[in-house]
Amino acid sequence: MKLQQAEKPLEGEITVPGDKSISHRAVMFGSLADGNTEITHFLPGADCLSTIDCFRKMGIRIDTAPDSPDHVIVHGKGLHGLNAPDSTLDCGNSGTTMRLISGILAGQDFPTELTGDASICRRPMKRIMDPLHRMGACIESENNNGCAPLMIVGHNLHGIHYDTPVASAQVKSCILLAGLYADSPTVVTEPALSRDHTERMLKNFGADLETSGTTVTIRPDPHLEAAKIAVPGDISSAACFIAGAAVVPDSHVTLRHVGTNSTRDGILRVLQDMGGSVTYRNLKASGGEPYADLEIRQLPLHGTVIGGDLIPTLIDELPLIAVMACAAEGETVIRDAAELRVKESDRIDLMVEGLSAMGADITGTEDGMIIHGGKPLHSAMIDTRHDHRAAMAFAIAALIADGGAEITDADCVRISYPGFFDDLASLL
Ligand code: S3P
């Protein structure tokens, strides 16, 4: 697909689609609750549709209407209401689906096979297999390589105290969900706080859970009760236009109802550190999740250093932050972000290759990137390797590249943001 260079400032308002992480969890926890959970502003992206498909296969009725795909009703059957699926569960491209469902399946009294696309079958699953084994579950990698396909045979689980080696909300959530089915409390301690949507939403459904710093404790066998969930806009999707408005001269963009949970808002802090401007308006909260309208005005950017505990709060936004760094004066260093290498693709290699081809001065390191900004970008042909976040980041880079750019498999944006190109076009 040919991507356009911006010929004028980005201007206008966008309501970005619902948060992907929250949409997944609303379907999962709604399935395990008693009663009907109504979800509004659900993200009908391919990843969340994989989650719906998996729970339908386990006997949960989930109503969606073709004319309002962001409105979903989950007819929950309680903590012990899932049925054995009669075929393999297909998680598609979705790490969240696979890792969170594994925690739930570890507590069921039936065996299940989980698989997904080529990308997910390369991603590390040992990080969930180890703690689930320690809880007493039987979970095997069918090819003995620590990756999917996985076979999970549910068991009587024991509560454990697990120190996760990496700050990962998917790993933390997997263990907490298995903890719902354990015989004693389960405790997870992370090296840094990862996104906490599971904790906030499970509490909303009635789970017995408490957080202290980077430690979460969950007590088993709660009665989960259906809830109404209004999903805030996805800050990871809004990030495309935050970055776009930050780099295209004279831009002024407003993003409505964007989730601003402090475990997700790192890009806004980095934007300000780089000299950019964001104004928060209409701050509200729903279901324990804060959201606001964000007004971004372009200002000259300068380089910065991004690392440590900030990384989990912006892990999915780093491809876009790399683009912002290309437009900034001076050096930007991104470190402590080795997790980027095990996302839907190796996002360090992919961004370094693509942005270098566009003329940027960018070097990959083991755990990040070093970018010397201010070099003019130009047109290039870029292979997205089917990575949705990279595809959107290159579309934003194209806005400031002489002659735009061209990317393969632009359609992969449907994973998290099916309407991305239409929304982008509306600002141009
Ligand atoms: C997610 C957590 C993050 C993030 C992913 C969604 C979630 O992964 O990259 O896109 O919904 O829990 P990790 O928790 O593995 O870092």
Side-chain angles (χ1 to χ4, degrees):
M1 178 182 190
K2 182 84 187 103
L3 302 167
Q4 284 182 55
Q5 179 181 8
E7 277 156 14
K8 55 181 191 53
L10 298 192
E11 259 184 281
E13 280 185 20
I14 303 260
T15 301
V16 293
D19 187 274
K20 182 154 82 70
S21 294
I22 296 176
S23 295
H24 279 299
R25 287 160 171 81
V27 170
M28 293 182 185
F29 306 167
S31 298
L32 302 181
D34 275 307
N36 295 348
T37 286
E38 183 177 7
I39 313 170
T40 51
H41 205 49
F42 175 80
L43 169 68
D47 270 7
C48 299
L49 298 181
S50 294
T51 292
I52 288 187
D53 193 50
C54 290
F55 280 89
R56 281 183 173 150
K57 277 194 172 150
M58 291 190 283
I60 301 295
R61 180 176 150 203
I62 301 174
D63 300 334
T64 50
D67 51 346
S68 53
D70 66 347
H71 187 196
V72 173
I73 296 177
V74 181
H75 299 260
K77 299 207 311 196
L79 206 52
H80 302 281
L82 299 179
N83 297 335
D86 52 19
S87 59
T88 302
L89 298 184
D90 185 351
C91 303
N93 189 247
S94 175
T96 307
T97 307
M98 183 165 284
R99 295 196 177 112
L100 270 61
I101 281 192
S102 294
I104 295 170
L105 293 175
Q108 306 304 315
D109 60 3
F110 51 78
T112 319
E113 187 181 44
L114 282 176
T115 193
D117 71 5
S119 153
I120 207 161
C121 290
R122 285 191 297 266
R123 296 181 65 187
M125 292 299 149
K126 221 175 144 318
R127 53 179 61 194
I128 56 161
M129 293 169 65
D130 286 348
L132 291 178
H133 280 146
R134 284 189 47 190
M135 294 179 81
C138 179
I139 168 168
E140 302 302 334
S141 155
E142 289 181 3
N143 297 328
N144 262 322
N145 59 357
C147 299
L150 302 175
M151 175 55 88
I152 304 181
V153 183
H155 239 270
N156 296 328
L157 301 180
H158 314 297
I160 56 170
H161 186 155
Y162 195 72
D163 287 292
T164 59
V166 287
S168 159
Q170 294 180 352
V171 173
K172 170 176 62 178
S173 304
C174 169
I175 301 167
L176 293 175
L177 289 167
L180 294 172
Y181 298 94
D183 57 6
S184 58
T186 295
V187 185
V188 183
T189 300
E190 302 189 274
L193 188 61
S194 67
R195 64 190 67 189
D196 63 359
H197 305 301
T198 293
E199 297 90 304
R200 292 180 194 230
M201 196 187 294
L202 270 180
K203 260 193 183 161
N204 227 17
F205 275 97
D208 184 355
L209 168 153
E210 75 214 25
T211 300
S212 164
T214 59
T215 295
V216 194
T217 304
I218 191 162
R219 272 169 280 280
D221 214 19
H223 174 74
L224 300 182
E225 194 61 54
K228 267 192 195 292
I229 303 201
V231 181
D234 196 327
I235 191 165
S236 299
S237 299
C240 300
F241 308 117
I242 294 170
V247 299
V248 176
D250 300 321
S251 292
H252 177 201
V253 168
T254 298
L255 302 158
R256 298 252 175 245
H257 312 308
V258 179
T260 51
N261 179 319
S262 59
T263 62
R264 293 286 299 284
D265 70 351
I267 186 168
L268 297 173
R269 288 183 261 159
V270 165
L271 173 68
Q272 287 166 308
D273 276 352
M274 294 177 84
S277 149
V278 53
T279 307
Y280 291 68
R281 298 195 198 285
N282 301 321
L283 280 84
K284 294 189 180 135
S286 169
E289 292 283 353
Y291 61 92
D293 297 340
L294 305 177
E295 191 181 339
I296 315 290
R297 279 179 195 275
Q298 188 266 334
L299 286 175
L301 299 181
H302 53 76
T304 187
V305 178
I306 304 162
D309 292 359
L310 191 58
I311 293 294
T313 72
L314 46 64
I315 187 74
D316 292 339
E317 289 66 74
L318 284 168
L320 286 159
I321 290 172
V323 174
M324 284 160 56
C326 290
E329 275 308 316
E331 184 180 80
T332 294
V333 178
I334 300 170
R335 57 178 175 233
D336 307 321
E339 279 295 295
L340 283 181
R341 294 204 179 275
V342 291
K343 293 294 177 187
E344 285 83 328
S345 71
D346 180 332
R347 288 185 174 154
I348 295 179
D349 280 1
L350 186 51
M351 294 314 297
V352 169
E353 262 173 50
L355 291 173
S356 299
M358 294 177 80
D361 180 348
I362 174 168
T363 312
T365 62
E366 226 170 85
D367 66 349
M369 298 170 238
I370 299 172
I371 299 149
H372 293 102
K375 281 194 76 184
L377 300 187
H378 55 70
S379 167
M381 173 75 197
I382 291 157
D383 182 355
T384 62
R385 296 186 208 152
H386 314 294
D387 184 320
H388 56 124
R389 302 236 181 259
M392 290 185 270
F394 289 121
I396 299 306
L399 296 173
I400 51 164
D402 185 19
E406 198 156 338
I407 56 168
T408 60
D409 191 27
D411 184 47
C412 67
V413 303
R414 74 189 196 309
I415 298 285
S416 61
Y417 197 164
F420 168 72
F421 288 108
D422 291 338
D423 282 351
L424 177 59
S426 77
L427 297 177
L428 285 170

